[in-house]
């Protein structure tokens, strides 16, 4: 598959992933708004912070390193029997992590008050079993990603999330007294349907005319189980070594990604009620980052990993591939920068109104608006770091990955210390400020790597960080007008608040028009590569 074909498939994958994440976040958005009316904020804190931290930690540490290693480099001529054997190691690894984490969640962490939040102990075990169930789909997920089966992920995860939301809403209305049992069972529903969807698809796909036409490396469902071929190693030891390098990195990355939840969980700097409010504001503030930036990062990591040869100098690679990679990186940097700037500008003036509409006085009073304003700036840093690290992880050699692990260790330690210190001083706002410091340092490292990577070539992808001056002027004017509008209208009745919304809509439209007229290259990139291709016949 040529670079242009890989780019088209990757762009399609990113487009579908964005749509998938939009639906996920929309469902979660309305689900949280609905459940706030039926359950306590303490229960929300236990589920969304304590138990989901257990789930995400177990799943991430068990599979992330395998994903990055097995999707690196050219996957066309790879011995997939060895790769599948390697991927099945995620399950026993997950069992080991499960034992450790369940013991910590039961006996080390402070349990919530059983009168306020009952059924904590069995809920921990059920969430662990749900995570292990999801790991069963890992070999199938990697196969689908490597061979650009772009619709499978969308369908499987969409059905799973819809089933989880329907189950949660039904049970919260019918039997709210069951508390944690409802959310634990809902997570099992999500994981079970996800595995069933992947299994059903490959049972139908393998051996079909379509799989033969695509020269798919496997032809029978039994080949997805671990097995040994005579005369060959059980696993690809080169990939296993790379997996170990990524594993050390993924452990540190998980601490950095979920750092504030670890601090809240292990150091008890906030009570469960405050944790619930923080998590709701955090999810609201990160909606755009998760449903837009994360799918682009995941999809274009596959693109960069396939187009570039890991650890090799620019001059030693195919120059056509380097040209495409540099152009794509430049456009992606400009895209996420503009989105981040727009979120920062408009998020400052509309945080209070958004929280008031979403959760009423429970969220719009106190520190909620300040949290969301800070998060609006954090999204900008998050956007830049996601794309730059996406490229860096695809281009680094194994030795560079190992060196980066040491830096991540230092960042992890400093982040936890800064989080604890700032939280003691400023409360929950300190978490976001600590995240901003951490993300800025990581972005600087990635930008330095990219600069050095292209310094002996004619390509300058970092020029994507310099938007047109007319766009900056439009954003500045919008910032002033919306701040003035909030001061005048936002404390009045609904009609005045609608006027505030109208001012923001006009300003946002103006910014879009300026971007469309001045950033023509970016607009063309979005039209040709990121626009959803519903007519595309690829699967």
């Amino acid at each position: 598959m040529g670079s242009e074909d890989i780019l088209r498939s990757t762009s399609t994958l990113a487009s579908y992933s964005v749509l998938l994440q939009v639906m996920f976040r929309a469902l979660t958005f309305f689900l949280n708004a609905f459940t706030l009316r039926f359950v306590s904020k303490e229960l929300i804190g236990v589920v969304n912070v304590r138990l989901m931290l257990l789930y995400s930690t177990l799943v991430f540490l068990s599979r992330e390193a395998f994903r990055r290693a097995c999707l690196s480099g050219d996957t066309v001529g790879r011995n997939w029997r060895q790769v599948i054997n390697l991927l099945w190691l995620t399950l026993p690894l997950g069992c080991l992590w499960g034992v450790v984490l369940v013991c910590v969640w039961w006996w080390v962490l402070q349990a919530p008050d059983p009168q306020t939040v009952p059924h904590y102990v069995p809920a921990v075990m059920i969430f662990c079993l749900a995570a292990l169930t999801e790991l069963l789909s890992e070999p199938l997920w990697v196969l689908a990603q490597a061979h650009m089966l772009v619709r499978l992920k969308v369908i499987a995860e969409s059905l799973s999330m819809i089933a989880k939301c329907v189950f949660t809403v039904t049970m919260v209305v019918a039997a709210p007294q069951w508390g944690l049992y409802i959310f634990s069972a809902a997570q099992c529903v999500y994981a079970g349907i996800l595995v069933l969807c992947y299994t059903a698809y490959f049972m139908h796909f393998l051996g079909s005319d379509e799989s033969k036409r695509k020269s798919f490396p496997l032809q029978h469902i039994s080949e997805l189980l671990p097995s040994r071929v005579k005369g060959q190693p059980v696993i690809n030891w080169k990939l296993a070594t790379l997996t170990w390098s990524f594993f050390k990195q993924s452990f540190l990355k998980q601490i950095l990604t979920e750092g504030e939840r670890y601090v809240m969980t292990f150091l008890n700097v906030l009570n469960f009620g405050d944790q619930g409010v923080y998590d709701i504001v955090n999810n609201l503030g990160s909606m755009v980052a998760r449903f837009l930036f994360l799918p682009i990062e995941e999809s274009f990591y596959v693109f960069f990993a396939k187009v570039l040869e890991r650890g090799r100098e620019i001059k030693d690679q195919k120059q056509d591939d380097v040209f495409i990679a540099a152009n794509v990186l430049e456009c992606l940097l400009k895209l996420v920068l503009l989105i981040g700037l727009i979120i920062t500008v408009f998020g400052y003036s509309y945080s209070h109104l958004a929280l008031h509409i979403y959760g009423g006085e429970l969220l719009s009073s106190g520190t909620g608006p300040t949290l969301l304003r800070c998060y609006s700036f954090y999204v900008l840093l998050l956007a830049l770091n996601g794309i730059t690290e996406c490229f860096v992880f695809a281009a680094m050699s194994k030795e560079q990955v190992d060196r980066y692990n040491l830096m991540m260790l230092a960042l992890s330690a400093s982040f936890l210390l800064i989080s604890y210190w700032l939280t003691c001083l400023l409360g929950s706002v300190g978490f976001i400020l600590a995240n901003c410091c951490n993300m800025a340092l990581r972005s600087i490292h990635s930008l330095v790597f990219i600069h050095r990577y292209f310094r002996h070539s004619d390509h300058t992808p970092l020029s994507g960080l310099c938007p047109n001056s007319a766009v900056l002027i439009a954003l500045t004017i919008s910032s002033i007008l919306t701040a003035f509008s909030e001061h005048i209208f936002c404390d009045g009745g609904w009609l005045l608040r609608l006027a505030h919304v109208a001012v923001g809509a006009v300003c946002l439209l103006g910014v879009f028009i300026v971007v469309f007229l001045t950033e023509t290259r970016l607009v063309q990139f979005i039209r040709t590569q990121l626009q959803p291709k519903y007519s595309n016949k690829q699967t």
Side-chain angles (χ1 to χ4, degrees):
M1 187 181 290
S3 299
E4 293 286 353
D5 294 330
I6 294 173
L7 177 56
R8 281 194 295 270
S9 298
T10 303
S11 301
T12 304
L13 176 60
S15 301
Y16 282 122
S17 296
V18 167
L19 292 177
L20 175 66
Q21 291 299 324
V22 168
M23 189 193 72
F24 274 18
R25 295 309 144 193
L27 285 173
T28 305
F29 179 85
F30 290 113
L31 179 64
N32 284 338
F34 181 82
T35 54
L36 277 173
R37 274 69 177 173
F38 291 87
V39 299
S40 66
K41 62 181 181 181
E42 285 78 13
L43 188 143
I44 292 292
V46 172
V47 172
N48 289 354
V49 177
R50 177 72 66 87
L51 294 179
M52 286 307 299
L53 180 64
L54 167 66
Y55 189 92
S56 64
T57 301
L58 198 163
V59 169
F60 189 92
L61 294 181
S62 300
R63 74 184 184 188
E64 179 66 13
F66 291 89
R67 286 186 171 186
R68 289 198 174 274
C70 293
L71 290 174
S72 297
D74 183 14
T75 60
V76 176
R78 185 166 289 173
N79 186 327
W80 279 99
R81 182 64 61 91
Q82 294 177 333
V83 175
I84 290 172
N85 289 341
L86 179 64
L87 288 169
W88 274 109
L89 293 178
T90 56
L91 188 59
L93 181 62
C95 292
L96 291 176
W97 278 118
V99 172
V100 173
L101 293 175
V102 166
C103 291
V104 171
W105 258 246
W106 275 351
W107 296 314
V108 177
L109 300 179
Q110 178 184 0
D113 182 2
Q115 299 299 322
T116 306
V117 185
H119 318 308
Y120 171 73
V121 171
V124 170
M125 178 57 71
I126 297 172
F127 264 81
C128 177
L129 293 176
L132 294 177
T133 301
E134 183 171 342
L135 291 178
L136 292 173
S137 66
E138 195 57 25
L140 309 181
W141 187 93
V142 172
L143 270 173
Q145 291 290 107
H147 294 87
M148 299 296 178
L149 302 176
V150 296
R151 292 192 181 96
L152 174 57
K153 177 183 176 182
V154 177
I155 295 172
E157 296 190 14
S158 299
L159 292 176
S160 302
M161 180 57 72
I162 291 171
K164 175 184 175 181
C165 290
V166 170
F167 180 88
T168 303
V169 169
T170 303
M171 295 306 297
V172 163
V173 173
Q177 71 276 10
W178 288 6
L180 291 180
Y181 280 135
I182 296 174
F183 295 93
S184 303
Q187 198 64 35
C188 289
V189 169
Y190 172 82
I193 292 182
L194 187 70
V195 173
L196 286 176
C197 287
Y198 275 98
T199 303
Y201 178 87
F202 276 99
M203 287 181 67
H204 171 75
F205 177 75
L206 293 179
S208 66
D209 293 337
E210 183 182 3
S211 68
K212 294 175 182 176
R213 186 170 62 252
K214 292 184 175 183
S215 300
F216 201 76
L218 308 179
Q219 294 300 322
H220 193 270
I221 192 68
S222 62
E223 297 179 61
L224 294 173
L225 298 175
S227 59
R228 184 168 186 173
V229 178
K230 292 183 178 180
Q232 295 182 358
V234 177
I235 61 175
N236 185 322
W237 288 104
K238 182 179 179 181
L239 282 183
T241 305
L242 184 60
T243 301
W244 173 243
S245 297
F246 278 124
F247 176 78
K248 293 181 288 185
Q249 183 187 103
S250 65
F251 184 81
L252 299 174
K253 185 178 180 180
Q254 175 66 7
I255 295 176
L256 293 173
T257 303
E258 302 280 8
E260 70 271 15
R261 297 192 183 203
Y262 287 113
V263 173
M264 281 189 281
T265 299
F266 286 89
L267 300 180
N268 297 318
V269 292
L270 298 175
N271 60 45
F272 286 112
D274 291 339
Q275 289 181 25
V277 173
Y278 173 84
D279 183 74
I280 292 170
V281 173
N282 179 53
N283 285 332
L284 183 62
S286 63
M287 274 185 66
V288 175
R290 292 184 179 184
F291 75 62
L292 187 59
F293 298 141
L294 184 59
I296 292 175
E297 176 188 347
E298 289 179 346
S299 300
F300 279 92
Y301 171 78
V302 177
F303 166 72
F304 290 129
K306 285 178 173 289
V307 169
L308 299 175
E309 297 184 47
R310 182 180 295 277
R312 296 191 66 178
E313 296 288 338
I314 285 288
K315 64 181 187 319
D316 299 326
Q317 303 193 42
K318 295 179 181 178
Q319 293 308 300
D320 289 342
D321 292 348
V322 173
F323 174 78
I324 294 175
N327 285 341
V328 169
L329 179 59
E330 180 181 348
C331 290
L332 288 176
L333 286 175
K334 182 161 291 188
L335 174 65
V336 298
L337 177 66
L338 290 177
I339 295 174
L341 287 173
I342 290 172
I343 292 172
T344 301
V345 167
F346 289 92
Y348 182 85
S349 299
Y350 289 88
S351 294
H352 183 276
L353 181 59
L355 290 177
H356 188 77
I357 294 173
Y358 185 62
E361 292 293 330
L362 176 67
L363 298 181
S364 62
S365 60
T367 61
T370 304
L371 279 173
L372 196 53
R373 289 187 179 107
C374 293
Y375 214 102
S376 298
F377 175 71
Y378 173 59
V379 167
L380 173 61
L381 298 174
L382 195 66
L384 293 177
N385 178 73
I387 293 301
T388 53
E389 280 196 350
C390 158
F391 178 87
V392 168
F393 289 154
M396 275 183 172
S397 65
K398 178 185 176 300
E399 293 73 20
Q400 289 172 321
V401 171
D402 290 335
R403 288 197 298 269
Y404 185 71
N405 290 336
L406 298 177
M407 192 195 78
M408 291 279 277
L409 179 61
L411 281 175
S412 301
S414 62
F415 170 70
L416 295 177
L417 291 175
I418 292 174
S419 295
Y420 180 73
W421 177 60
L422 289 178
T423 305
C424 291
L425 290 177
L426 305 172
S428 52
V429 175
F431 282 123
I432 299 178
L433 295 180
N435 271 315
C436 288
C437 295
N438 166 58
M439 207 57 63
L441 291 174
R442 289 169 62 179
S443 298
I444 290 171
H445 171 270
S446 298
L447 291 173
V448 170
F449 178 91
I450 293 171
H451 172 73
R452 291 176 177 173
Y453 190 82
F454 288 100
R455 62 184 171 182
H456 296 306
S457 71
D458 297 329
H459 307 295
T460 55
L462 294 184
S463 60
L465 298 176
C466 301
N468 191 283
S469 57
V471 176
L472 296 178
I473 293 172
L475 288 170
T476 302
I477 294 174
S478 297
S479 176
I480 296 172
L481 290 177
T482 53
F484 186 69
S485 171
E486 182 186 30
H487 179 71
I488 294 177
F489 299 128
C490 209
D491 291 332
W494 283 106
L495 287 177
L496 292 178
R497 289 173 178 170
L498 285 174
H500 179 45
V501 173
V503 171
V506 172
C507 291
L508 183 60
L509 178 61
V511 171
F512 283 154
I513 291 174
V514 173
V515 170
F516 183 80
L517 294 176
T518 59
E519 299 288 357
T520 54
R521 184 180 174 190
L522 176 62
V523 172
Q524 181 65 20
F525 175 78
I526 295 173
R527 282 178 170 175
T528 57
Q529 301 300 337
L530 290 181
Q531 184 176 334
K533 301 174 176 62
Y534 294 107
S535 62
N536 196 314
K537 295 182 180 180
Q538 289 179 326
T539 58

